[in-house]
């Protein structure tokens, strides 16, 4: 649905053709969610079927142009006005992986958590560096371009998201340790092959390499 409404938002600025819409969508979001031309035209065909866009001739190069209709503008306004629905959250691969790793034969869930933590922290550091570059570009530029501001907002969302993921992974690790020490008859935390290790040494300490809190 975000692609559908994203294309409508771009078309509200004026008629566009497919590859132009793809380029502008990726520019606005910093190529965080890349599109292919086929995906764009499939979405445009559905929007045209639903009466939200219409073909409006061609440009000088012969590209078929699409324009938003009144129904499309109304749909776009409703999208902007309504909050994003969180009652049916999207599937999260990491949450599913950890859920399946609990008690799985031959799987050391602590190793899974630590591997993911290192990857998440690295991503957070990369996003933080890109944010600093984006702010410098905005402050030094002659004007604050709409696409640059949009990209900065997307970057900050990614930073908050990865920061929350790192905290959740820390929580998962602590939760598993607490459960292993309070379970009846538990002498340690389950290892990769069903062995047990003392809770005090179950998880080796890891260096905290997370960046400083956002300002």
């Amino acid at each position: 649905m975000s692609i559908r409404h994203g294309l409508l938002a771009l078309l509200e600025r004026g008629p566009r053709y497919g590859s132009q819409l793809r380029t502008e969508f990726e520019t606005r979001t910093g190529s965080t969610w890349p599109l292919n031309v086929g995906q764009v035209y499939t979405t445009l065909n559905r929007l045209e079927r639903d009466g939200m866009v219409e073909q409006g001739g061609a440009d000088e190069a012969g590209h078929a142009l699409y324009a938003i209709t009144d129904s499309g503008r109304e749909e776009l306004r409703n999208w902007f006005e309504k909050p994003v629905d969180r009652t049916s959250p999207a599937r999260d691969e990491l949450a599913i992986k950890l859920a399946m790793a609990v008690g799985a034969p031959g799987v050391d869930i602590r190793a899974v958590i630590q591997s993911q933590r290192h990857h998440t922290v690295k991503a957070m550091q990369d996003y933080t560096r890109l944010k600093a570059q984006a702010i410098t570009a905005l402050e030094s530029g002659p004007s604050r371009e709409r696409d640059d501001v949009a990209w900065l907002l997307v970057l900050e969302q990614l930073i908050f998201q990865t920061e929350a993921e790192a905290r959740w992974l820390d929580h998962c690790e602590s939760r598993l340790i607490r459960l292993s020490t309070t379970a009846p008859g538990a002498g340690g935390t389950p290892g990769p092959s069903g062995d047990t290790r003392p809770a005090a040494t179950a998880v080796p300490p890891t260096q905290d390499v997370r960046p400083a809190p956002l300002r």
Side-chain angles (χ1 to χ4, degrees), residues 92-176:
D92 185 287
E93 182 179 357
L94 177 56
I96 295 173
K97 178 187 288 188
L98 292 189
M100 298 302 164
V102 174
V107 177
D108 185 346
I109 190 171
R110 294 160 302 181
V112 175
I113 291 174
Q114 291 202 34
S115 175
Q116 183 64 44
R117 182 190 288 115
H118 284 296
H119 177 80
T120 300
V121 169
K122 174 62 166 57
M124 183 162 40
Q125 292 171 334
D126 291 341
Y127 294 145
T128 302
R129 183 174 62 254
L130 288 172
K131 175 190 172 182
Q133 295 173 358
I135 291 176
T136 299
L138 279 172
E139 292 177 345
S140 61
S143 63
R144 297 184 177 182
E145 296 294 334
R146 173 169 33 193
D147 289 345
D148 293 334
V149 174
W151 170 223
L152 177 61
L153 294 179
V154 169
L155 271 174
E156 290 177 330
Q157 191 270 347
L158 292 171
I159 291 171
F160 282 120
Q161 188 177 61
T162 51
E163 184 179 42
E165 183 172 284
R167 292 180 181 276
W168 177 67
L169 288 168
D170 290 343
H171 169 78
C172 289
E173 192 171 66
S174 299
R175 173 70 71 187
L176 290 170

Side-chain angles (χ1 to χ4, degrees), residues 8 15 23 32 37 53-54 67 89-90 106 112 145 158 160 163 172 193 195:
L8 286 175
T23 299
T32 305
V37 174
V53 304
E54 60 186 6
V112 175
E145 296 294 334
L158 292 171
F160 282 120
E163 184 179 42
C172 289
S193 300
D195 62 324

Side-chain angles (χ1 to χ4, degrees), residues 63-82:
H63 299 116
L65 296 174
Y66 291 82
I68 192 171
T69 64
D70 289 340
S71 295
R73 290 188 179 89
E74 182 178 358
E75 174 72 15
L76 184 61
R77 283 195 300 271
N78 290 335
W79 183 59
F80 282 132
E81 291 171 359
K82 293 181 180 178

